[in-house]
Amino acid sequence: MLRPRIIVCLDVKDGRGVKGTNFVGLRDVGDPVELAQRYEAEGADEIVYLDISASHEGRGTLLELVQRTAQVLFIPLTVGGGVRTETDMNALLRAGADKVSVNSGAVRDPQLLTRGAELFGSQCVVASIDAAWSEEGSDGPGWYHHTHGGRKRTDLEAVSWARECAALGAGEILLTSMDRDGVRTGYDLKLTAAVAEAVNVPVIASGGAGEAAHLRDGFTQGHADAVLLAGILHDGLTTVGELKKALSAWGIPVRDTSIANGPPTPSTSEAP
């Protein structure tokens, strides 16, 4: 069984790393390749690139960026954005990605997940679900899945859609709470736990990480297999190593890192 993972996400637009709040208000945070190397050195277990404008603009993910990253990165790299066909998946994997994340393409053609799993293995296929709470929807109040970088709401209830994605062949669910994205108040634990209970594949909690305790709660209360974070690292509020040190003190069996950790930041001060 895999140890709980810390995954660092880099949203990419026009070849640059960006970060926003609730999927808007984007700001530049640096070169994705340099950032990926930095987070690997700090102890990140995986890196995710999400080309957040690819589907909206109708173009493919930047293969050149993936190629440059794969040449220097030694931890798994997941890439998503603009993936519509098995050919797109193949191109990303051949460029050096270890996994491919699919969102809008799977809504348009759900069998894409099945074909991708059959061709490349389910471990390479990640279903990305961007969920936001709505009082109104086809199934009544609940979390509903969004596509095109959060711009378009679907009638797919997120928990049911996650269950279907796993049944279709996705080997992992990347679950982002749009309501919590960038606000640093913690993951949506109810949403995460509901999806984790509904599927038999690993679930990555995303959206809302602000301190080490939020990661702990994502594992212990949200029952996530991995937690994804971005902003608190981009802004230098903490490091992956410091977060892992706090999680280890709480008894979360994260993978050991060899880096030398300095004094804990305020975000890890709750650790015993």
Side-chain angles (χ1 to χ4, degrees):
M1 182 176 180
L2 289 175
R3 286 177 176 267
R5 291 168 288 154
I6 294 182
I7 301 175
V8 181
C9 181
L10 291 164
D11 289 341
V12 177
K13 188 176 190 298
D14 301 324
R16 295 289 293 178
V18 297
K19 189 71 184 81
T21 302
N22 302 128
F23 281 45
V24 296
L26 300 178
R27 55 188 172 84
D28 188 284
V29 296
D31 176 70
V33 180
E34 293 178 0
L35 289 169
Q37 287 182 283
R38 175 180 128 196
Y39 296 136
E40 178 183 37
E42 290 180 3
D45 296 304
E46 298 184 21
I47 298 291
V48 170
Y49 280 171
L50 295 179
D51 191 342
I52 60 175
S53 60
S55 292
H56 173 63
E57 298 175 358
R59 58 179 172 76
T61 305
L62 301 179
L63 295 178
E64 186 269 338
L65 175 62
V66 177
Q67 291 170 340
R68 286 197 294 121
T69 305
Q71 290 174 356
V72 297
L73 199 69
F74 297 95
I75 56 177
L77 172 66
T78 299
V79 183
V83 178
R84 306 173 186 85
T85 66
E86 306 93 290
T87 301
D88 293 333
M89 291 183 177
N90 184 57
L92 286 169
L93 294 170
R94 289 179 64 86
D98 298 281
K99 307 176 190 177
V100 177
S101 175
V102 187
N103 182 331
S104 305
V107 173
R108 185 184 305 109
D109 177 12
Q111 290 301 315
L112 174 61
L113 298 173
T114 304
R115 297 193 301 272
E118 291 174 346
L119 286 170
F120 311 114
S122 61
Q123 77 282 355
C124 293
V125 181
V126 179
S128 179
I129 298 177
D130 296 334
W133 180 266
S134 175
E135 292 296 328
E136 298 180 356
S138 56
D139 292 336
W143 297 282
Y144 284 87
H145 176 50
H146 290 62
T147 62
H148 296 78
R151 296 174 180 85
K152 295 184 179 181
R153 196 192 108 165
T154 73
D155 285 328
L156 295 168
E157 193 277 320
V159 179
S160 297
W161 176 235
R163 186 184 295 112
E164 183 176 352
C165 288
L168 286 165
E172 198 163 49
I173 303 294
L174 171 53
L175 177 66
T176 300
S177 167
M178 294 177 61
D179 302 312
R180 301 294 184 94
D181 178 66
V183 301
R184 302 180 184 177
T185 57
Y187 300 107
D188 189 328
L189 300 176
K190 290 183 178 179
L191 168 63
T192 306
V195 171
E197 183 179 346
V199 302
N200 59 357
V201 298
V203 174
I204 304 167
S206 171
E211 58 184 68
H214 295 156
L215 278 64
R216 175 198 62 194
D217 294 345
F219 291 124
T220 60
Q221 298 180 41
H223 307 298
D225 299 272
V227 292
L228 182 144
L229 61 158
I232 59 173
L233 299 177
H234 300 336
D235 291 343
L237 300 180
T238 187
T239 67
V240 178
E242 290 169 344
L243 293 169
K244 282 193 167 184
K245 184 177 180 180
L247 290 169
S248 181
W250 280 315
I252 307 295
V254 292
R255 183 176 63 85
D256 291 336
T257 58
S258 58
I259 67 170
N261 295 319
T265 66
S267 65
T268 63
S269 60
E270 292 186 55

